[in-house]
Tab-separated table of all heavy atoms in Angstrom:
chain	number	residue	atom	x	y	z
L	123	LEU	N	3.738	16.686	3.765
L	123	LEU	CA	2.936	17.432	2.759
L	123	LEU	C	2.620	16.642	1.558
L	123	LEU	O	3.341	15.718	1.207
L	123	LEU	CB	3.707	18.672	2.342
L	123	LEU	CG	4.219	19.609	3.522
L	123	LEU	CD1	5.108	20.741	2.874
L	123	LEU	CD2	3.125	20.174	4.152
L	124	LEU	N	1.450	16.920	1.014
L	124	LEU	CA	1.038	16.186	-0.149
L	124	LEU	C	2.121	16.265	-1.352
L	124	LEU	O	2.414	15.269	-2.027
L	124	LEU	CB	-0.332	16.743	-0.792
L	124	LEU	CG	-0.924	16.034	-1.949
L	124	LEU	CD1	-1.186	14.486	-1.625
L	124	LEU	CD2	-2.228	16.685	-2.254
L	125	ALA	N	2.729	17.398	-1.395
L	125	ALA	CA	3.777	17.614	-2.457
L	125	ALA	C	4.912	16.686	-2.136
L	125	ALA	O	5.623	16.199	-3.147
L	125	ALA	CB	4.306	19.057	-2.372
L	126	ASP	N	5.228	16.336	-0.879
L	126	ASP	CA	6.319	15.341	-0.551
L	126	ASP	C	5.960	13.967	-1.089
L	126	ASP	O	6.756	13.308	-1.691
L	126	ASP	CB	6.514	15.258	0.873
L	126	ASP	CG	7.104	16.550	1.495
L	126	ASP	OD1	7.716	17.370	0.789
L	126	ASP	OD2	6.943	16.736	2.674
L	127	VAL	N	4.748	13.660	-0.995
L	127	VAL	CA	4.268	12.294	-1.316
L	127	VAL	C	4.186	12.126	-2.869
L	127	VAL	O	4.467	11.083	-3.472
L	127	VAL	CB	2.951	11.895	-0.801
L	127	VAL	CG1	2.413	10.539	-1.199
L	127	VAL	CG2	2.974	11.973	0.791
L	128	THR	N	3.919	13.284	-3.585
L	128	THR	CA	3.720	13.127	-5.007
L	128	THR	C	4.975	13.436	-5.819
L	128	THR	O	4.917	13.219	-7.001
L	128	THR	CB	2.595	14.168	-5.450
L	128	THR	OG1	2.978	15.452	-4.999
L	128	THR	CG2	1.201	13.752	-4.852
L	129	THR	N	6.038	13.862	-5.166
L	129	THR	CA	7.269	14.029	-5.918
L	129	THR	C	7.848	12.634	-6.177
L	129	THR	O	7.748	11.719	-5.370
L	129	THR	CB	8.260	14.952	-5.171
L	129	THR	OG1	8.601	14.290	-3.923
L	129	THR	CG2	7.755	16.282	-5.012
L	130	GLU	N	8.502	12.556	-7.290
L	130	GLU	CA	8.947	11.208	-7.733
L	130	GLU	C	10.061	10.656	-6.802
L	130	GLU	O	10.267	9.459	-6.712
L	130	GLU	CB	9.407	11.423	-9.224
L	130	GLU	CG	9.741	9.982	-9.821
L	130	GLU	CD	10.029	10.052	-11.273
L	130	GLU	OE1	9.716	11.179	-11.975
L	130	GLU	OE2	10.570	9.153	-11.873
L	131	TYR	N	10.957	11.472	-6.265
L	131	TYR	CA	12.180	11.002	-5.611
L	131	TYR	C	12.022	11.095	-4.044
L	131	TYR	O	13.050	10.944	-3.355
L	131	TYR	CB	13.380	11.628	-6.104
L	131	TYR	CG	13.585	11.356	-7.582
L	131	TYR	CD1	13.225	12.350	-8.549
L	131	TYR	CD2	13.851	10.139	-8.077
L	131	TYR	CE1	13.391	12.145	-9.868
L	131	TYR	CE2	13.901	9.870	-9.382
L	131	TYR	CZ	13.655	10.947	-10.283
L	131	TYR	OH	13.770	10.624	-11.635
L	132	GLY	N	10.925	11.419	-3.512
L	132	GLY	CA	10.762	11.370	-2.028
L	132	GLY	C	11.126	12.766	-1.404
L	132	GLY	O	11.505	13.679	-2.039
L	133	ALA	N	10.878	12.782	-0.166
L	133	ALA	CA	11.192	13.955	0.628
L	133	ALA	C	12.650	14.249	0.869
L	133	ALA	O	13.465	13.309	0.800
L	133	ALA	CB	10.472	13.828	1.971
L	134	LYS	N	12.960	15.442	1.280
L	134	LYS	CA	14.308	15.822	1.619
L	134	LYS	C	14.622	15.298	3.018
L	134	LYS	O	13.670	15.051	3.755
L	134	LYS	CB	14.507	17.365	1.637
L	134	LYS	CG	14.380	17.929	0.143
L	134	LYS	CD	14.561	19.341	0.223
L	134	LYS	CE	14.403	19.966	-1.211
L	134	LYS	NZ	13.903	21.243	-1.243
L	135	VAL	N	15.894	15.036	3.286
L	135	VAL	CA	16.262	14.530	4.477
L	135	VAL	C	15.826	15.488	5.690
L	135	VAL	O	16.147	16.741	5.529
L	135	VAL	CB	17.810	14.209	4.599
L	135	VAL	CG1	18.206	13.825	5.997
L	135	VAL	CG2	18.153	13.206	3.576
L	136	THR	N	15.232	15.059	6.716
L	136	THR	CA	14.769	15.916	7.776
L	136	THR	C	15.969	16.341	8.582
L	136	THR	O	16.813	15.592	9.013
L	136	THR	CB	13.813	15.177	8.743
L	136	THR	OG1	12.826	14.580	7.879
L	136	THR	CG2	13.251	16.000	9.762
L	137	PRO	N	16.088	17.671	8.913
L	137	PRO	CA	17.204	18.170	9.775
L	137	PRO	C	17.105	17.467	11.139
L	137	PRO	O	16.063	17.070	11.676
L	137	PRO	CB	16.885	19.636	9.949
L	137	PRO	CG	15.947	20.031	8.759
L	137	PRO	CD	15.174	18.799	8.441
L	138	TYR	N	18.317	17.260	11.694
L	138	TYR	CA	18.345	16.709	13.097
L	138	TYR	C	17.536	17.308	14.048
L	138	TYR	O	16.875	16.689	15.030
L	138	TYR	CB	19.857	16.622	13.620
L	138	TYR	CG	20.723	15.662	12.807
L	138	TYR	CD1	21.919	16.020	12.216
L	138	TYR	CD2	20.343	14.327	12.687
L	138	TYR	CE1	22.664	15.084	11.425
L	138	TYR	CE2	21.218	13.441	11.973
L	138	TYR	CZ	22.320	13.888	11.405
L	138	TYR	OH	23.149	13.010	10.725
L	139	ALA	N	17.322	18.667	14.036
L	139	ALA	CA	16.609	19.365	15.063
L	139	ALA	C	15.120	19.023	15.043
L	139	ALA	O	14.372	19.210	15.939
L	139	ALA	CB	16.750	20.938	14.841
L	140	GLN	N	14.680	18.406	13.884
L	140	GLN	CA	13.175	17.978	13.743
L	140	GLN	C	13.080	16.486	13.916
L	140	GLN	O	12.033	15.953	13.626
L	140	GLN	CB	12.724	18.425	12.386
L	140	GLN	CG	12.643	19.834	12.212
L	140	GLN	CD	12.180	20.231	10.821
L	140	GLN	OE1	12.006	19.496	9.936
L	140	GLN	NE2	11.740	21.491	10.695
L	141	ARG	N	14.053	15.799	14.560
L	141	ARG	CA	13.893	14.342	14.762
L	141	ARG	C	13.677	14.032	16.224
L	141	ARG	O	14.068	14.774	17.069
L	141	ARG	CB	15.230	13.598	14.255
L	141	ARG	CG	15.392	13.828	12.707
L	141	ARG	CD	16.686	13.134	12.392
L	141	ARG	NE	16.887	13.324	10.941
L	141	ARG	CZ	17.822	12.804	10.237
L	141	ARG	NH1	18.637	11.867	10.842
L	141	ARG	NH2	17.985	13.051	8.920
L	142	GLU	N	12.970	12.950	16.410
L	142	GLU	CA	12.621	12.486	17.843
L	142	GLU	C	13.011	10.899	17.943
L	142	GLU	O	12.824	10.191	16.951
L	142	GLU	CB	11.113	12.579	18.071
L	142	GLU	CG	10.556	13.993	17.900
L	142	GLU	CD	9.069	14.056	17.923
L	142	GLU	OE1	8.365	13.095	17.688
L	142	GLU	OE2	8.616	15.202	18.285
L	143	VAL	N	13.302	10.584	19.150
L	143	VAL	CA	13.589	9.143	19.467
L	143	VAL	C	12.402	8.560	20.063
L	143	VAL	O	11.746	9.174	21.016
L	143	VAL	CB	14.832	8.980	20.412
L	143	VAL	CG1	15.032	7.552	20.775
L	143	VAL	CG2	16.088	9.567	19.770
L	144	TRP	N	11.925	7.379	19.566
L	144	TRP	CA	10.736	6.717	19.964
L	144	TRP	C	11.294	5.287	20.388
L	144	TRP	O	12.248	4.797	20.017
L	144	TRP	CB	9.697	6.628	18.878
L	144	TRP	CG	9.064	7.955	18.605
L	144	TRP	CD1	9.635	9.076	18.115
L	144	TRP	CD2	7.700	8.293	18.925
L	144	TRP	NE1	8.678	10.002	18.107
L	144	TRP	CE2	7.496	9.591	18.462
L	144	TRP	CE3	6.635	7.599	19.434
L	144	TRP	CZ2	6.239	10.183	18.530
L	144	TRP	CZ3	5.311	8.186	19.458
L	144	TRP	CH2	5.180	9.480	19.033
L	145	ILE	N	10.326	4.633	21.178
L	145	ILE	CA	10.600	3.215	21.606
L	145	ILE	C	9.277	2.346	21.387
L	145	ILE	O	8.222	2.903	21.561
L	145	ILE	CB	11.129	3.135	23.133
L	145	ILE	CG1	11.511	1.739	23.433
L	145	ILE	CG2	10.019	3.665	23.895
L	145	ILE	CD1	12.241	1.597	24.721
L	146	ILE	N	9.456	1.037	20.987
L	146	ILE	CA	8.346	0.222	20.761
L	146	ILE	C	8.827	-1.160	21.233
L	146	ILE	O	9.979	-1.558	21.110
L	146	ILE	CB	7.892	0.185	19.319
L	146	ILE	CG1	6.503	-0.575	19.271
L	146	ILE	CG2	8.934	-0.313	18.474
L	146	ILE	CD1	5.877	-0.422	17.891
L	147	LYS	N	7.880	-1.936	21.759
L	147	LYS	CA	8.196	-3.332	22.126
L	147	LYS	C	8.489	-4.042	20.814
L	147	LYS	O	7.739	-3.956	19.839
L	147	LYS	CB	7.018	-3.989	22.815
L	147	LYS	CG	7.025	-3.717	24.285
L	147	LYS	CD	6.056	-4.781	25.083
L	147	LYS	CE	6.239	-4.527	26.521
L	147	LYS	NZ	5.437	-5.494	27.232
L	148	ALA	N	9.492	-4.923	20.828
L	148	ALA	CA	9.885	-5.616	19.631
L	148	ALA	C	8.885	-6.585	19.188
L	148	ALA	O	8.809	-6.932	18.013
L	148	ALA	CB	11.292	-6.330	19.880
L	149	ASN	N	7.981	-7.033	19.993
L	149	ASN	CA	6.998	-7.971	19.688
L	149	ASN	C	5.684	-7.240	19.039
L	149	ASN	O	4.743	-7.908	18.615
L	149	ASN	CB	6.566	-8.895	20.715
L	149	ASN	CG	5.981	-8.222	21.934
L	149	ASN	OD1	5.649	-7.063	21.839
L	149	ASN	ND2	5.859	-9.002	23.096
L	150	GLY	N	5.781	-5.948	19.163
L	150	GLY	CA	4.658	-5.143	18.461
L	150	GLY	C	3.368	-5.097	19.322
L	150	GLY	O	2.375	-4.658	18.808
L	151	THR	N	3.402	-5.464	20.632
L	151	THR	CA	2.172	-5.510	21.385
L	151	THR	C	1.819	-4.167	22.086
L	151	THR	O	0.792	-4.093	22.698
L	151	THR	CB	2.386	-6.615	22.548
L	151	THR	OG1	3.464	-6.166	23.432
L	151	THR	CG2	2.478	-7.889	22.052
L	152	GLU	N	2.606	-3.178	21.877
L	152	GLU	CA	2.345	-1.811	22.434
L	152	GLU	C	2.434	-0.729	21.328
L	152	GLU	O	3.194	-1.012	20.390
L	152	GLU	CB	3.225	-1.429	23.587
L	152	GLU	CG	2.912	-2.269	24.768
L	152	GLU	CD	3.824	-1.743	26.033
L	152	GLU	OE1	4.687	-0.846	25.848
L	152	GLU	OE2	3.737	-2.299	27.053
L	153	GLU	N	1.753	0.410	21.498
L	153	GLU	CA	1.933	1.496	20.613
L	153	GLU	C	3.322	2.095	20.922
L	153	GLU	O	3.849	2.025	22.012
L	153	GLU	CB	0.939	2.568	20.835
L	153	GLU	CG	-0.497	2.095	20.347
L	153	GLU	CD	-0.564	1.970	18.878
L	153	GLU	OE1	-0.030	2.817	18.161
L	153	GLU	OE2	-1.077	0.956	18.480
L	154	PRO	N	3.943	2.662	19.880
L	154	PRO	CA	5.287	3.413	20.148
L	154	PRO	C	5.119	4.577	21.161
L	154	PRO	O	4.061	5.146	21.301
L	154	PRO	CB	5.595	3.999	18.842
L	154	PRO	CG	4.753	3.253	17.826
L	154	PRO	CD	3.566	2.822	18.517
L	155	ARG	N	6.145	4.716	21.954
L	155	ARG	CA	6.197	5.831	22.918
L	155	ARG	C	7.345	6.867	22.556
L	155	ARG	O	8.402	6.461	22.248
L	155	ARG	CB	6.455	5.357	24.282
L	155	ARG	CG	5.328	4.479	24.786
L	155	ARG	CD	5.600	3.912	26.199
L	155	ARG	NE	6.793	2.986	26.047
L	155	ARG	CZ	7.685	2.669	27.170
L	155	ARG	NH1	7.394	3.203	28.233
L	155	ARG	NH2	8.556	1.882	26.915
L	156	PHE	N	6.986	8.193	22.660
L	156	PHE	CA	7.951	9.206	22.431
L	156	PHE	C	8.957	9.246	23.659
L	156	PHE	O	8.488	9.191	24.785
L	156	PHE	CB	7.229	10.564	22.355
L	156	PHE	CG	8.189	11.721	22.445
L	156	PHE	CD1	8.911	12.084	21.289
L	156	PHE	CD2	8.286	12.513	23.509
L	156	PHE	CE1	9.741	13.190	21.303
L	156	PHE	CE2	9.113	13.555	23.549
L	156	PHE	CZ	9.831	13.925	22.516
L	157	LEU	N	10.188	9.305	23.389
L	157	LEU	CA	11.206	9.438	24.452
L	157	LEU	C	11.821	10.871	24.643
L	157	LEU	O	11.837	11.448	25.641
L	157	LEU	CB	12.348	8.489	24.290
L	157	LEU	CG	12.044	7.010	24.431
L	157	LEU	CD1	13.317	6.162	24.341
L	157	LEU	CD2	11.442	6.735	25.866
L	158	ALA	N	12.332	11.412	23.465
L	158	ALA	CA	13.023	12.633	23.516
L	158	ALA	C	13.268	13.156	22.126
L	158	ALA	O	13.255	12.437	21.128
L	158	ALA	CB	14.323	12.516	24.224
L	159	LYS	N	13.579	14.485	21.978
L	159	LYS	CA	13.983	15.032	20.775
L	159	LYS	C	15.446	14.417	20.569
L	159	LYS	O	16.225	14.182	21.543
L	159	LYS	CB	14.115	16.526	20.733
L	159	LYS	CG	12.817	17.213	20.749
L	159	LYS	CD	13.025	18.683	20.926
L	159	LYS	CE	11.639	19.416	20.893
L	159	LYS	NZ	11.799	20.801	20.872
L	160	GLY	N	15.730	14.056	19.308
L	160	GLY	CA	17.127	13.539	19.057
L	160	GLY	C	17.163	12.660	17.937
L	160	GLY	O	16.188	12.558	17.073
L	161	HIS	N	18.348	11.963	17.722
L	161	HIS	CA	18.538	11.018	16.532
L	161	HIS	C	19.624	10.002	16.941
L	161	HIS	O	20.260	10.148	17.944
L	161	HIS	CB	18.967	11.956	15.342
L	161	HIS	CG	20.190	12.647	15.575
L	161	HIS	ND1	21.401	12.206	15.271
L	161	HIS	CD2	20.348	14.026	15.953
L	161	HIS	CE1	22.320	13.076	15.554
L	161	HIS	NE2	21.698	14.140	16.054
L	162	SER	N	19.702	9.027	16.129
L	162	SER	CA	20.782	8.027	16.217
L	162	SER	C	20.784	7.385	17.634
L	162	SER	O	21.760	7.381	18.301
L	162	SER	CB	22.122	8.577	15.968
L	162	SER	OG	22.189	9.159	14.797
L	163	PRO	N	19.660	6.705	18.008
L	163	PRO	CA	19.611	6.060	19.384
L	163	PRO	C	20.706	5.011	19.494
L	163	PRO	O	20.955	4.235	18.565
L	163	PRO	CB	18.193	5.477	19.402
L	163	PRO	CG	17.874	5.362	18.046
L	163	PRO	CD	18.452	6.414	17.249
L	164	CYS	N	21.269	4.853	20.690
L	164	CYS	CA	22.163	3.886	21.150
L	164	CYS	C	21.915	3.474	22.488
L	164	CYS	O	21.781	4.243	23.388
L	164	CYS	CB	23.592	4.502	20.985
L	164	CYS	SG	24.891	3.296	21.251
Side-chain angles (χ1 to χ4, degrees):
L123 304 173
L124 183 58
D126 291 337
V127 178
T128 57
T129 58
E130 189 171 345
Y131 301 107
K134 293 180 179 149
V135 175
T136 307
Y138 289 126
Q140 294 180 345
R141 296 182 185 187
E142 302 171 336
V143 175
W144 290 66
I145 188 171
I146 188 171
K147 278 195 169 182
N149 63 11
T151 59
E152 289 182 0
E153 290 294 315
R155 293 179 293 159
F156 168 77
L157 290 182
K159 291 181 181 180
H161 58 89
S162 306
C164 183

